[in-house]
Amino acid sequence: MMRQVVVDLEESMIRQVANAGMGRSDVLKFWFGESDEVTPTFIREAAIASLQQGETFYAHNLGLPELREAIAAYASALRCAGAAPIEANRIAVTSGGVNALMLAVQALVDAGDEVVAVTPVWPNLTAQPLIMGAKLRCVSLKPVAGQWQLDMAELLAAITPQTKLLIVNAPNNPTGWTLTRAEQEALLAHCRRTGTWILADEVYERLYYEATSNACAPSFLDISAPEDRLVVVHSFSKSFLMTGWRLGWLVMPPAMTPHMGKLVEFNTSCAPVFVQRAALVGLQRTADVTPQLVAHLKTCRDTLVPLLQAIPGVELASPRGGMYAFFRLADQARFGNSLATAKRLVVEAGLGLAPGDAFMVNPSAEAQGWLRWCFASHDLGRLGQGVERLARWLPSA
């Protein structure tokens, strides 16, 4: 018999909605967290060149040395003044951000350990500690006029010396909420006192729309020491338009890195060399990818959000980061069950959105009725068409 915790894992609600629209070409699809733009040509060509050169063999568990060096240089360049430089001996290349998160949880969490997670959040982050047999406690952001906010006092009270790991994703999927520098400093200081590890999912760091000195969201790497109990997860998926390539990385204390290499060996052995070669070129030509992408995503956000806000009964605040509009349909009597609502939107309106319940654990009444709209669309017109479908559907639903 399989482990009961695996049997009890819930099927992806987002996938359930997507399945309801399979085979329908008329559905406008905004349910998955990825842009509809293909990976830049020069990145794809680097992978092709690697394959043509016969690079089809195993690589180092931790990644190609030159890629680890490039990631360290890239991550260091994004840091604020005074931050500790990031050395390659803190980097592990992984087979996607999901793999990076799972490796970190495997490395840190024993069965029975207490784990605290900030929600709403992408469901993998709460499922992974449960798979390891942890006791999960969630502290929810609070929606205020459509904007999600952190009750710092509640979160600090939840983190005790018995808490092995804090999981926090900022900029956040799905809400766009982002930790402030003051909140990061308070969390780091508190976790140092309690001996709690922090697992920071910062894959949306570059997809940030507020003005900052380093053109990215606040990072724990800006304020931490290399030896802190901190593991930061990144990915090439979002900022480099490489979702299907499955490549990410971890930043961790240097003493942890050799042991992480062993975990990589027993999970995936290594990331494919040709994918790593493509990523290396992506890093070398970051200026040709990320700034334009972020500018376009900001335009997408600024196009979609006002249109949604103009619909009666829709609650929404503009997200500070990420690629999602997380909005609420105020009529809870009709739309409180977000999974049912999302399925109806596919069938009745030809509009594919992700249900808010997919990102919540034991959602409270105030967290009902939310939907996530991925606004990473090459064609801005599709966003307007989607809003028109939603606006037409709501009065008759």
Side-chain angles (χ1 to χ4, degrees), residues 105-115 129 132-135 164-165:
V105 173
Q106 288 175 344
L108 297 173
V109 176
D110 281 315
D113 279 347
E114 179 181 288
V115 174
M132 298 303 297
K135 295 180 291 185
K164 184 66 172 294
L165 179 66

Side-chain angles (χ1 to χ4, degrees), residues 4 49-50 70 78 82 88 145 169 223 247 253 256 264 286 293 326 378 396:
Q4 193 60 43
S50 173
L78 294 178
N169 165 225
I223 58 173
L247 199 70
M256 185 177 178
V264 173
T286 303
L293 172 64
F326 200 53
H378 178 69
S396 60

Side-chain angles (χ1 to χ4, degrees), residues 205-382:
E205 176 187 45
R206 299 295 303 275
L207 307 188
Y208 190 63
Y209 311 115
E210 304 294 317
T212 61
S213 61
N214 55 351
C216 59
S219 168
F220 278 102
L221 294 173
D222 292 326
I223 58 173
S224 60
E227 295 75 22
D228 273 318
R229 293 187 173 188
L230 170 69
V231 179
V232 177
V233 170
H234 274 284
S235 171
F236 286 92
S237 290
K238 313 300 181 181
S239 301
F240 294 89
L241 296 171
M242 294 179 67
T243 50
W245 296 73
R246 312 315 306 134
L247 199 70
W249 74 86
L250 289 159
V251 184
M252 70 200 93
M256 185 177 178
T257 309
H259 304 293
M260 188 61 71
K262 292 182 287 186
L263 267 183
V264 173
E265 168 63 27
F266 297 130
N267 276 268
T268 59
S269 294
C270 59
V273 173
F274 70 92
V275 176
Q276 295 189 63
R277 294 291 186 202
L280 183 58
V281 171
L283 287 174
Q284 292 167 345
R285 297 185 58 178
T286 303
D288 296 327
V289 186
T290 307
Q292 297 92 321
L293 172 64
V294 175
H296 179 69
L297 290 177
K298 185 176 185 296
T299 301
C300 291
R301 181 199 67 169
D302 295 343
T303 298
L304 177 65
V305 169
L307 293 175
L308 286 174
Q309 290 173 329
I311 300 176
V314 171
E315 299 176 4
L316 169 66
S318 187
R320 295 167 62 193
M323 56 172 63
Y324 311 105
F326 200 53
F327 66 97
R328 188 184 194 190
L329 301 179
D331 189 343
Q332 295 301 286
R334 290 194 296 164
F335 306 120
N337 184 327
S338 68
L339 177 58
T341 299
K343 288 181 176 180
R344 287 186 61 194
L345 278 167
V346 170
V347 174
E348 300 170 16
L351 180 62
L353 305 177
D357 284 353
F359 307 91
M360 304 178 190
V361 179
N362 301 320
S364 62
E366 66 184 357
Q368 297 293 314
W370 293 82
L371 296 163
R372 190 195 73 175
W373 187 315
C374 179
F375 55 69
S377 176
H378 178 69
D379 179 7
L380 296 177
R382 292 181 67 250

